[in-house]
């Protein structure tokens, strides 16, 4: 099976370098028309320039692809809506959105200012919300859409000194899970990638020997699959360095004593049993978790 994007239009945020650039080049080589969005700022979000986005567009046009540069900040809803309107005017549709733009302002929580916390939330979480909202109704009307959120190991599992980043990245998983349910009947699939790649975002977070094995191209195959016509929905894939794994939000079988018998002392006494992962499940939605809490899904 060859995955093709002929006739598809993709918007990729943060595509002036690193992962975003790698996504843009691969999708363009597979036939997609690509919007290379990048504010062109520093790693902490300061500054702006269209040069990085234009350089990627030039790479794409050099091998015969079709692309346009855009410098909108994902935190500026009016600019994002204008970007989408321009894309629709030029190419008539938007089939794919990859929410890849991000910044870092790492500090331990005790030293982190609320401004640094909010700014990271605004770019990663609200930036993804803004871009998704701007294409959502269009994709519903088309009866087709593929949206990719970007989480991280920090969001899924935590990392010292990244409380703001981790909070934003796990919030995107929750956003994906609800939008996957709401988009299903319109053929709008929403997935999440947790990349492990050597980019300017990670260049001082991992040793050089590890970075050498983690080129952005090692993440591209999983991400491209998650925005393809054949893509599933409500999936989290971890990818990088030649490996791909699937992450789940799981639930143990726990205990069920009934509201009258359950006490804090019983929770303490049976904590190991509650934590036992034998037979754990991954509920399809919040209602399934509620059913388990009431004992309705404990059989087997």
């Amino acid at each position: 099976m060859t995955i093709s994007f002929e006739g598809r239009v993709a918007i990729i945020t943060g595509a002036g370098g690193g992962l975003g650039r790698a996504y843009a080049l691969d999708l363009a080589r597979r036939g997609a028309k690509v919007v290379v969005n990048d504010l062109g700022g520093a790693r902490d979000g300061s500054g702006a320039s269209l040069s990085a986005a234009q350089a990627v567009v030039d790479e794409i046009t050099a091998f015969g692809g079709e692309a346009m540069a855009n410098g909108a900040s994902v935190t500026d809803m009016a600019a994002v809506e204008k970007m989408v309107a321009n894309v629709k005017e030029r190419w008539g549709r938007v089939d794919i959105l990859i929410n890849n733009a991000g910044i870092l302002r790492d500090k331990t929580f005790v030293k982190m200012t609320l401004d640094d916390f909010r700014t990271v939330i605004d770019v990663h979480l609200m930036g993804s919300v803004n871009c998704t909202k701007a294409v959502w109704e269009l994709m519903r009307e088309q009866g087709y859409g593929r949206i990719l959120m970007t989480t991280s190991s920090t969001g899924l599992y935590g990392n010292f000194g990244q409380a703001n980043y981790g909070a934003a990245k796990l919030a995107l998983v929750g956003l994906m899970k609800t939008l996957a349910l709401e988009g299903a009947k319109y053929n709008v699939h929403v997935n999440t990638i947790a990349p492990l790649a050597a980019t300017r975002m990670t260049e001082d977070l991992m040793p050089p020997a590890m970075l050498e094995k983690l080129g952005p191209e090692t993440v591209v195959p999983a991400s491209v699959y998650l925005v393809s016509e054949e893509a599933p929905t409500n999936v989290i894939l971890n990818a990088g360095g030649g490996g791909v794994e699937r992450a789940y939000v799981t639930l143990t079988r726990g205990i069920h004593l009934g509201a009258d018998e359950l006490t804090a002392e019983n929770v303490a006494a049976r904590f190991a049993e509650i934590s036992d992962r034998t037979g754990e499940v991954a509920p399809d939605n919040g209602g399934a978790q509620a059913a388990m809490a009431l004992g309705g899904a404990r059989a087997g």
Side-chain angles (χ1 to χ4, degrees):
M1 178 184 71
T2 298
I3 294 178
S4 172
F5 292 92
E6 290 291 338
R8 299 299 185 190
V9 177
I11 295 175
I12 306 168
T13 68
L19 282 169
R21 171 182 169 274
Y23 296 155
L25 294 174
D26 194 86
L27 288 177
R29 288 191 179 102
R30 293 173 181 271
K33 299 177 177 66
V34 178
V35 181
V36 180
N37 165 266
D38 202 295
L39 178 64
R43 192 172 75 163
D44 65 358
S46 61
S49 170
L50 193 61
S51 60
Q54 186 59 52
V56 177
V57 170
D58 292 344
E59 286 186 80
I60 291 171
T61 56
F63 61 70
E66 194 169 352
M68 61 186 288
N70 179 273
S73 168
V74 295
T75 64
D76 184 342
M77 187 60 180
V80 169
E81 289 177 331
K82 183 178 180 180
M83 172 180 67
V84 173
N86 289 342
V87 176
K88 186 177 179 183
E89 180 180 0
R90 179 168 173 179
W91 288 323
R93 58 190 296 118
V94 177
D95 300 288
I96 296 161
L97 169 65
I98 300 181
N99 288 306
N100 173 72
I103 64 171
L104 287 179
R105 293 191 178 182
D106 293 353
K107 288 182 180 176
T108 58
F109 191 60
V110 71
K111 295 179 181 179
M112 186 179 292
T113 67
L114 289 180
D115 180 63
D116 282 341
F117 202 100
R118 289 192 184 98
T119 300
V120 169
I121 294 289
D122 283 346
V123 174
H124 288 274
L125 176 58
M126 293 310 302
S128 297
V129 170
N130 290 342
C131 293
T132 302
K133 183 67 172 176
V135 302
W136 189 253
E137 188 57 31
L138 175 58
M139 289 182 172
R140 280 169 34 112
E141 290 173 356
Q142 292 172 170
Y144 186 91
R146 298 293 183 265
I147 297 172
L148 188 65
M149 306 295 180
T150 304
T151 188
S152 76
S153 57
T154 298
L156 296 174
Y157 310 112
N159 196 34
F160 190 90
Q162 292 191 309
N164 49 3
Y165 182 70
K169 288 305 191 183
L170 189 55
L172 287 166
V173 174
L175 176 63
M176 177 268 293
K177 286 188 167 294
T178 292
L179 293 184
L181 296 172
E182 294 184 7
K185 73 175 183 178
Y186 302 98
N187 193 23
V188 178
H189 294 189
V190 189
N191 294 295
T192 300
I193 189 74
L196 183 61
T199 68
R200 70 173 183 167
M201 293 276 283
T202 60
E203 61 188 3
D204 56 359
L205 300 179
M206 292 180 282
M210 182 179 293
L211 291 172
E212 289 178 6
K213 300 177 182 179
L214 297 174
E217 66 279 359
T218 66
V219 177
V220 170
S223 296
V224 166
Y225 168 64
L226 290 178
V227 295
S228 69
E229 187 171 343
E230 297 79 11
T233 195
N234 192 20
V235 166
I236 308 165
L237 290 184
N238 295 57
V244 180
E245 305 85 31
R246 185 168 176 178
Y248 292 90
V249 179
T250 65
L251 198 66
T252 68
R253 292 290 177 174
I255 63 172
H256 185 75
L257 301 178
D260 295 336
E261 298 179 41
L262 190 61
T263 65
E265 290 76 12
N266 280 336
V267 172
R270 301 181 66 177
F271 185 70
E273 184 181 352
I274 294 168
S275 303
D276 185 356
R277 300 186 65 176
T278 303
E280 67 182 357
V281 296
D284 292 330
N285 52 56
Q289 187 275 327
M292 284 196 67
L294 295 171
R298 295 190 50 77

